[in-house]
Amino acid sequence: MKRPIVLVHGLWVTPHCWDKFRSYYESRGHQVLTPAWPGVSDDAAAMRRDASSLNSVGAEQVIEHYAEIIRGLPEAPIIIGHSYGGVITQVLIDRGLGAVGVAIDSVPPKGVYILPLSTYLALLPAFLKPATLRGTFLFTLRQFWKVFANTLSETEVREAYESVAIPASGRAIFQAALANFMVNAPTFVDFANDKRSPLLLIGGEKDVIMPSALNRKNFRKYRSSAITEFKEFPGRSHYIIAESGWEEVADYALSWATAQADSRESASPPIPVSA
């Protein structure tokens, strides 16, 4: 069996957003784990009716949840995260977990200042509901289409919404949006960490909520000697991991990650699961 892969999903979706990536990577001989966030179930329709299990779930709880799973693996995995899962991936890699990290359409860590206007406008409906902070916020189908899957056809977006769309934890939303104003923000990473594993950031050209320019800005914050690269895919929305052309993204991420992991393995002793 090849090196395990852990796929970390983001807000507003269940782990089924990774179904295509999971099948693709399993067909290439990898063990693939797609753990859900604490409070998230596989049944999107049920969660749209009642998402109280997600109330007050925060980034720190999610990070520790994935860290515990990774520490239990026989070898350090490739960690690939999408959206909020992207910043979780960056934190895990910074903390010495994982052989390689890939952050796709990532939420920025603390320290990336001045977010694009499109990001604030996409999140504005959540900010305007005070109950969101301790509860959850669900995009309507139209909002989901506009900010999350804007390159899909109406038929495609309806299918995606029905199968994976769920409310998001308000606590996690505010922790990301206000990270630069928090002393101990859970999304902090040390951009100068020379000891971390290689990290690839991927952006989608047509992404509205986490634009490619924001991912490039995130990439440029890194100033360590650790390997860090950025790749933009043209014409892709925030739903880059499941929309048309997802295979190209999956293949690029895996090829890059395995090459980096193999290179490090041949150059040094096996990488420990945790630092």
Side-chain angles (χ1 to χ4, degrees), residues 56-83:
S56 299
V57 170
E60 60 277 79
Q61 184 180 350
V62 179
I63 291 166
E64 185 50 39
H65 173 69
Y66 282 95
E68 185 175 347
I69 291 169
I70 290 168
R71 291 190 189 103
L73 295 175
E75 68 174 325
I78 294 167
I79 307 173
I80 301 177
H82 172 245
S83 191

Side-chain angles (χ1 to χ4, degrees), residues 24-234:
Y24 188 81
Y25 291 160
E26 286 178 339
S27 71
R28 282 152 180 76
H30 292 271
Q31 176 194 10
V32 184
L33 289 77
T34 58
W37 279 37
V40 171
S41 79
D42 286 344
D43 190 338
M47 290 219 63
R48 287 196 294 272
R49 290 191 297 271
D50 180 7
S52 56
S53 58
L54 264 174
N55 289 351
S56 299
V57 170
E60 60 277 79
Q61 184 180 350
V62 179
I63 291 166
E64 185 50 39
H65 173 69
Y66 282 95
E68 185 175 347
I69 291 169
I70 290 168
R71 291 190 189 103
L73 295 175
E75 68 174 325
I78 294 167
I79 307 173
I80 301 177
H82 172 245
S83 191
Y84 213 104
V87 74
I88 300 297
T89 297
Q90 293 185 63
V91 172
L92 293 171
I93 290 294
D94 182 49
R95 294 183 183 182
L97 295 160
V100 182
V102 179
I104 303 173
D105 288 354
S106 182
V107 168
K110 176 179 179 178
V112 178
Y113 299 99
I114 309 179
L115 305 185
L117 179 61
S118 63
T119 301
Y120 288 113
L121 291 176
L123 297 174
L124 186 61
F127 296 154
L128 292 177
K129 291 188 174 182
T132 296
L133 180 58
R134 295 185 182 277
T136 60
F137 176 78
L138 174 66
F139 279 139
T140 64
L141 172 62
R142 183 160 294 280
Q143 289 167 337
F144 185 83
W145 192 3
K146 182 179 179 181
V147 306
F148 207 94
N150 47 299
T151 60
L152 275 65
S153 68
E154 183 172 356
T155 299
E156 290 171 332
V157 81
R158 285 184 180 280
E159 181 180 344
Y161 192 87
E162 287 300 317
S163 62
V164 302
I166 62 173
S169 160
R171 179 179 170 84
I173 294 172
F174 279 88
Q175 283 179 320
L178 303 177
N180 290 321
F181 304 98
M182 300 170 64
V183 176
N184 296 311
T187 57
F188 169 85
V189 301
D190 179 3
F191 293 113
N193 181 0
D194 294 329
K195 297 181 178 179
R196 66 160 169 79
S197 297
L199 174 67
L200 170 66
L201 289 100
I202 289 177
E205 182 203 12
K206 300 296 185 182
D207 191 336
V208 172
I209 193 168
M210 295 295 155
S212 187
L214 179 59
N215 283 268
R216 188 184 294 275
K217 193 173 183 179
N218 184 168
F219 159 70
R220 288 174 174 162
K221 288 294 292 187
Y222 282 100
R223 54 186 184 278
S224 72
S225 60
I227 294 171
T228 315
E229 294 187 15
F230 172 78
K231 170 71 174 177
E232 179 182 285
F233 283 87

Side-chain angles (χ1 to χ4, degrees), residues 255-272:
S255 298
W256 189 91
T258 53
Q260 296 297 333
D262 292 347
S263 176
R264 283 168 61 88
E265 194 168 32
S266 63
S268 61
I271 304 167

